[in-house]
Structures are given as C-alpha cells and as structure tokens.
Amino acid sequence: MQPFTFFMYICPFNSKLIFSMKRMIYLFVTVAMMATVSACSNSASNKNVESNVNEAEIEAEIDNAHAMLAIKGSCEMCKKRIEKAAKDVEGVTFAEWHLEGQEMHLHFDTNKTSLKAVSEAIAKIGYDTELDKAPDEAYNALPDCCKYRND
C-alpha cells in the first residue's frame, strides 16, 4: 500500500506532492530547531567569555594602582629626571610629572612596589615629595636651574 493513499481519495492533490510537502516541512522544522540550539549555545559561551574578561579586568585593577604624588621641581630638566627616577622603580608602568601643578601621575603594580618606594627613589635624587624630603646632599647636587628651595 502506498503511503498517504487515504489522502488521494479525500484530497484532490497527488500523493507524491503531499509526501514532498511533508518532507519540506520536516526539513524546515529541523533546520529551525538546529538554529535555535546553536544560538543558545553561542549565547552561553559569550557569557562565559564576558565573565572571564570582567574577572581579568578586576584582577588587573587590583594589582595596578593609580596615584598622584606632589613633587617639587622647577624646569623641564627636573621633569626628565623625576620621571626617569620613577620609571626606574620596578613595577612602575607609567609616570608623568607636570611642572605647572607640581604633581606626578603614576601607575604601578602593587605586587612589585608602592607609592612610598617611588617617593623615596625621587627624594634620593634630590627632589622633595609630599611623603619624603630629599637629603641635603642630593638636593645640593642638583643643577642650579633645578633648585627650588628658598633657604
């Protein structure tokens, strides 16, 4: 007995046509289900990637600190010397001193150094910071254009 022979008597369409239409509907439903499953799995994996990125950013923020440090200086030569001293401290990733505001912006790895260590390194070459005063010997060794004390 041929499939769908019952429909030949009820339906005026040819049974082969009905059989191929059912096959197309089955194929369409199958493709739609596969697309839905694929979209759901991509969404879940994207959430995992976003979660991993957010965790990495948080860990990076914890290990890396931004700080500002007031440092006395008077010229562009001071700027070069102060920034070099700060960058020579292991763990400092960014150091920029501004003559106008007498402030340094720092980024550093808190696992490798601290603001106090950077301040001490700068004081050691002759510049007073808000945390440390430069030794007189180091200050007196500065070029005349870099001297800022009024004593």
Side-chain angles (χ1 to χ4, degrees):
M1 186 179 222
Q2 283 188 330
F4 306 109
T5 54
F6 175 73
F7 288 108
M8 285 191 338
Y9 297 110
I10 298 173
C11 188
F13 299 114
N14 185 339
S15 67
K16 289 182 181 177
L17 179 63
I18 292 172
F19 184 70
S20 68
M21 285 175 61
K22 287 212 177 232
R23 195 182 285 169
M24 287 184 355
I25 291 170
Y26 174 73
L27 181 63
F28 175 76
V29 169
T30 304
V31 169
M33 288 175 57
M34 289 174 57
T36 302
V37 168
S38 175
C40 289
S41 67
N42 283 343
S43 174
S45 67
N46 286 344
K47 287 179 182 174
N48 288 340
V49 169
E50 289 174 9
S51 175
N52 291 343
V53 169
N54 289 340
E55 289 173 10
E57 288 175 358
I58 290 168
E59 288 177 13
E61 287 177 12
I62 291 171
D63 292 345
N64 292 317
H66 173 262
M68 295 179 66
L69 182 64
I71 303 169
K72 299 281 186 183
S74 59
C75 65
E76 287 298 314
M77 186 185 299
C78 296
K79 176 179 173 65
K80 289 178 186 175
R81 293 168 53 97
I82 291 168
E83 289 177 356
K84 182 181 181 325
K87 290 175 183 175
D88 285 347
V89 175
E90 183 182 357
V92 173
T93 56
F94 176 81
E96 185 174 48
W97 182 73
H98 298 280
L99 176 61
E100 300 82 30
Q102 302 279 301
E103 286 184 323
M104 174 175 272
H105 291 267
L106 287 166
H107 294 248
F108 56 93
D109 184 340
T110 57
N111 293 326
K112 295 181 180 179
T113 193
S114 66
L115 184 60
K116 181 71 173 159
V118 175
S119 176
E120 289 171 354
I122 293 168
K124 192 183 294 183
I125 63 164
Y127 297 94
D128 294 338
T129 72
E130 63 185 283
L131 301 177
D132 297 289
K133 184 176 180 193
D136 289 336
E137 310 83 53
Y139 176 78
N140 292 333
L142 289 175
D144 288 339
C145 64
C146 293
K147 294 187 179 175
Y148 50 86
R149 291 182 187 163
N150 294 330
D151 37 62

